Amino acid sequence: MNDKIEIKERLRLLTVIREEALLRQRDIYPREEKVDTWPNLLVKELIALLIFTIVLVVWSLVQDAPLEELANPGLTPKEAKAPWYFVGLQELLVYFDPWIAGVVFPTIILVGLALIPYLDPDPIKGVGRYAIGKRKFATFCFIFGFTMWFALVAVGQYFRGPGWNFYLPWESWDSPKEVEVALTNFPLVAGIAFLACYYILGLGIPAVTFQNFFWRLGLIRYHITMILLMTMMLVPVKILLRQVFHIRYIVQTPWFNI
Amino acid sequence: MNIFIQMWRSLFRTGVTDSPVHRVFRVVVNFSLHLHPARVSKNGIKTTYTFCLGGLNVLFFVMTAITGGLLMIYYTPDVDKAYANMLDLENVIPFGTFLRNLHRVSAHAMVIAVSLHMLRVFLTASYKSPREFNWVIGVGLLLMTFLLSFTGYLLPWDQLSYWAVTVGTTMAENTPIVGAKGPFSVLGPEEDMRFILLGGTSIDQPTLIRFYFAHCVGLPGALVGLMALHFWRVRKAGGISRPL
Ligand code: HEM
């Protein structure tokens, strides 16, 4: 084969523009060493493809997809569980009414996630590397939520039996669980006061203590960020209130309960 | 020309000569590789940077799409037939069980990989400008992935699927305002969110056909569309993020 490049198509070159010139002004671009996609990236992709195809095949050889009896609306099974990735939300039903656990929280999670890039006030810190120490607050918030989601999934999946009672994974589901301890509610006024204080102090104290942080985010970012954070923290707070202080609702009204 | 060389050249439009220009050329003129830039930043292709997670999502999706297509051949979205179809897959159709397993396993893998991919993008601060909106598209992909898994859960029409979907759709009933049992509800049980979702007041034939459409056409279509946008955005942002 000759050494000249064989170009079978006729190509017409109009102009050559440096990549950087096409990028918007405000985007910050590093000048960085580049390597050829072929073979550097493509070989890695091929290897990953092969390895994980094998993983999938082996996994499906050793584990059979479950198939139970024909669907029967008249026969409620001992335990009705959502698919595992939604079991965390189902676990939240212990602590919150369905409109919160099943509707409000998922909505807040999705909206909150989508807002992350707009709430983070720093345009460059930590980009392109695992520099967690440089973004302590951001990382804390994200990891906390991420871990909580999967912790709730684990509890719901492995520690809940009939009637959504708590069972250790090796405990037999036949041993009946004692009826739950009596739960109380906050009186209405106290409950509203509790929630109001929770949010006012949760937003107020950091604003005063960490004034740099407050001004860096600005009014709007700060409030959205902190409301999202405090709402996320409502989950552990509510778990604590229920498990330790046997409180069912913070606010109970004829229309809704929190 | 030797017939084999002719065949080879008809398949791969560039020769096998190796030089920097050839390497670039090979990617640029190849249809299945043109998603990639010809040259990539060194940082972006480190295995310990992306852990291949975005690419693995593609693999898992393609795997569910292929096995899903094959499963569609044996499946009828009819409450009187669906379960029997599953039994046939298990007992009669060659490799039917394997096909089902592979579909399920790939779907699980995708839910896991999409979560981890989001984690890696967060930890490397790759959502920052100019990639903000690609993160938002990513959140859409995350939602589509979960919804795909969830709608697929109903299709076997066994006790497991029926009651899992019961749990899920009870939530819709409790939506504030537009759910019949939610706070401040204004709609009755025959016009609320759950009714729209199920196509009735209980999980039945209308539900199955709705979930079937969403699972096999609507959601995969949306996912593919979002993925195309996602990849285009990665390219337009100048490739994978790297230290500034
Ligand atoms: C079906 C789901 C998804 C697919 C197939 C997918 C695919 C990819 C691929 C192939 C890349 C290139 C870099 C890499 O491999 O890491 C990428 C980058 C990216 N993804 Fe995804 N992704 C998905 C979901 C998500 C989600 C859930 C998010 C975030 C919420 C997200 C946000 C991003 C961002 C911001 C980048 C740019 C990262 C960078 O430049 O370093 N993606 N995605």
Side-chain angles (χ1 to χ4, degrees):
Chain A
M1 209 172 185
N2 64 5
D3 268 327
K4 280 187 198 148
I5 315 159
E6 257 185 71
I7 302 179
K8 294 205 179 136
E9 297 93 336
R10 284 180 161 275
L11 302 174
R12 194 171 295 153
L13 188 65
L14 285 177
T15 176
V16 177
I17 302 172
R18 290 183 64 87
E19 179 180 290
E20 290 80 359
L22 289 172
L23 301 165
R24 288 169 300 165
Q25 200 94 60
R26 69 184 178 90
D27 306 338
I28 304 154
Y29 277 92
R31 301 190 173 276
E32 217 232 343
E33 211 187 331
K34 291 201 166 188
V35 294
D36 292 320
T37 300
W38 167 269
N40 299 290
L41 172 59
L42 291 172
V43 165
K44 284 191 180 186
E45 287 184 340
L46 181 67
I47 295 173
L49 179 123
L50 291 176
I51 293 177
F52 279 91
T53 307
I54 294 172
V55 168
L56 293 180
V57 168
V58 172
W59 185 1
S60 23
L61 285 175
V62 296
Q63 197 189 45
D64 277 343
L67 186 68
E68 294 187 359
E69 299 292 305
L70 176 67
N72 181 352
L75 181 71
T76 317
K78 250 185 170 175
E79 46 131 31
K81 275 191 188 173
W84 66 267
Y85 36 84
F86 284 151
V87 159
L89 294 175
Q90 198 179 1
E91 170 67 17
L92 280 184
L93 286 175
V94 176
Y95 307 102
F96 294 93
D97 280 359
W99 67 279
I100 302 186
V103 183
V104 175
F105 275 147
T107 311
I108 294 183
I109 291 172
L110 287 171
V111 173
L113 279 175
L115 281 177
I116 286 178
Y118 308 99
L119 295 176
D120 192 326
D122 190 295
I124 43 178
K125 230 193 276 173
V127 173
R129 57 187 104 111
Y130 291 90
I132 294 162
K134 290 196 169 178
R135 300 157 55 227
K136 289 199 186 75
F137 177 69
T139 315
F140 166 78
C141 294
F142 191 82
I143 299 274
F144 190 92
F146 195 85
T147 316
M148 187 161 73
W149 175 273
F150 286 101
L152 289 168
V153 167
V155 172
Q157 191 70 5
Y158 298 114
F159 294 89
R160 294 294 183 179
W164 212 254
N165 281 313
F166 190 89
Y167 285 83
L168 294 170
W170 51 89
E171 244 179 313
S172 157
W173 283 1
D174 296 330
S175 61
K177 289 278 160 175
E178 78 280 21
V179 196
E180 268 207 64
V181 276
L183 296 167
T184 52
N185 299 322
F186 274 119
L188 185 59
V189 180
I192 293 175
F194 178 89
L195 265 193
C197 286
Y198 176 79
Y199 277 98
I200 292 172
L201 293 180
L203 267 67
I205 293 176
V208 178
T209 327
F210 307 106
Q211 294 200 1
N212 270 345
F213 175 74
F214 177 79
W215 290 115
R216 206 150 44 85
L217 268 78
L219 267 182
I220 299 176
R221 280 208 185 88
Y222 178 82
H223 281 99
I224 301 178
T225 308
M226 293 308 284
I227 287 173
L228 287 172
L229 176 61
M230 292 306 285
T231 306
M232 176 167 81
M233 288 304 177
L234 208 53
V235 173
V237 166
K238 196 81 197 287
I239 293 179
L240 197 79
L241 282 178
R242 168 137 188 166
Q243 300 294 5
V244 180
F245 301 104
H246 305 300
I247 288 165
R248 183 167 163 82
Y249 291 122
I250 299 175
V251 174
Q252 190 188 32
T253 72
W255 308 280
F256 64 91
N257 309 308
I258 296 174
Chain B
M1 209 179 336
N2 180 318
I3 179 172
F4 295 113
I5 293 183
Q6 190 187 353
M7 282 175 175
W8 177 265
R9 286 200 187 164
S10 72
L11 196 57
F12 300 102
R13 305 189 299 154
T14 47
V16 288
T17 328
D18 196 31
S19 79
V21 180
H22 277 96
R23 289 177 168 205
V24 169
F25 208 62
R26 206 161 288 149
V27 173
V28 174
V29 300
N30 185 306
F31 176 73
S32 35
L33 300 183
H34 86 286
L35 275 179
H36 294 296
R39 288 165 68 72
V40 284
S41 87
K42 227 173 172 175
N43 179 70
I45 62 164
K46 264 196 295 198
T47 314
T48 50
Y49 185 64
T50 62
F51 295 97
C52 303
L53 285 162
L56 287 179
N57 269 318
V58 179
L59 169 67
F60 298 150
F61 176 71
V62 170
M63 194 67 99
T64 45
I66 293 172
T67 50
L70 292 174
L71 285 171
M72 280 174 85
I73 294 172
Y74 300 106
Y75 180 83
T76 329
D78 175 337
V79 292
D80 295 324
K81 295 191 185 137
Y83 186 72
N85 290 159
M86 302 317 288
L87 291 179
D88 281 352
L89 270 169
E90 305 268 277
N91 305 318
V92 183
I93 294 150
F95 298 107
T97 309
F98 178 68
L99 198 60
R100 232 194 115 206
N101 291 352
L102 197 53
H103 189 69
R104 194 186 78 113
V105 155
S106 309
H108 283 335
M110 195 169 160
V111 172
I112 297 167
V114 82
S115 311
L116 293 178
H117 172 63
M118 181 173 70
L119 182 63
R120 110 72 193 145
V121 171
F122 183 87
L123 292 181
T124 59
S126 304
Y127 56 81
K128 294 188 177 183
S129 176
R131 301 183 178 81
E132 298 110 317
F133 195 67
N134 211 12
W135 169 274
V136 179
I137 296 170
V139 175
L141 285 166
L142 180 81
L143 176 64
M144 293 302 144
T145 306
F146 278 72
L147 290 181
L148 260 174
S149 273
F150 182 67
T151 48
Y153 219 86
L154 182 67
L155 304 187
W157 205 252
D158 66 341
Q159 279 289 74
L160 204 60
S161 38
Y162 187 89
W163 291 98
V165 172
T166 304
V167 171
T169 50
T170 313
M171 307 281 189
E173 200 176 15
N174 286 282
T175 316
I177 304 168
V178 292
K181 288 191 183 164
F184 310 113
S185 71
V186 290
L187 303 173
E190 302 218 329
E191 48 189 8
D192 73 334
M193 273 302 282
R194 181 165 177 269
F195 189 87
I196 294 171
L197 209 64
L198 300 187
T201 48
S202 61
I203 300 178
D204 213 323
Q205 182 60 46
T207 321
L208 185 59
I209 201 78
R210 272 161 205 238
F211 275 50
Y212 178 76
F213 170 76
H215 187 73
C216 302
V217 182
L219 292 168
L223 197 77
V224 168
L226 283 177
M227 261 200 237
L229 257 180
H230 196 58
F231 302 155
W232 181 74
R233 280 277 183 160
V234 170
R235 290 290 302 274
K236 289 296 154 186
I240 307 279
S241 57
R242 63 207 96 128
L244 293 168

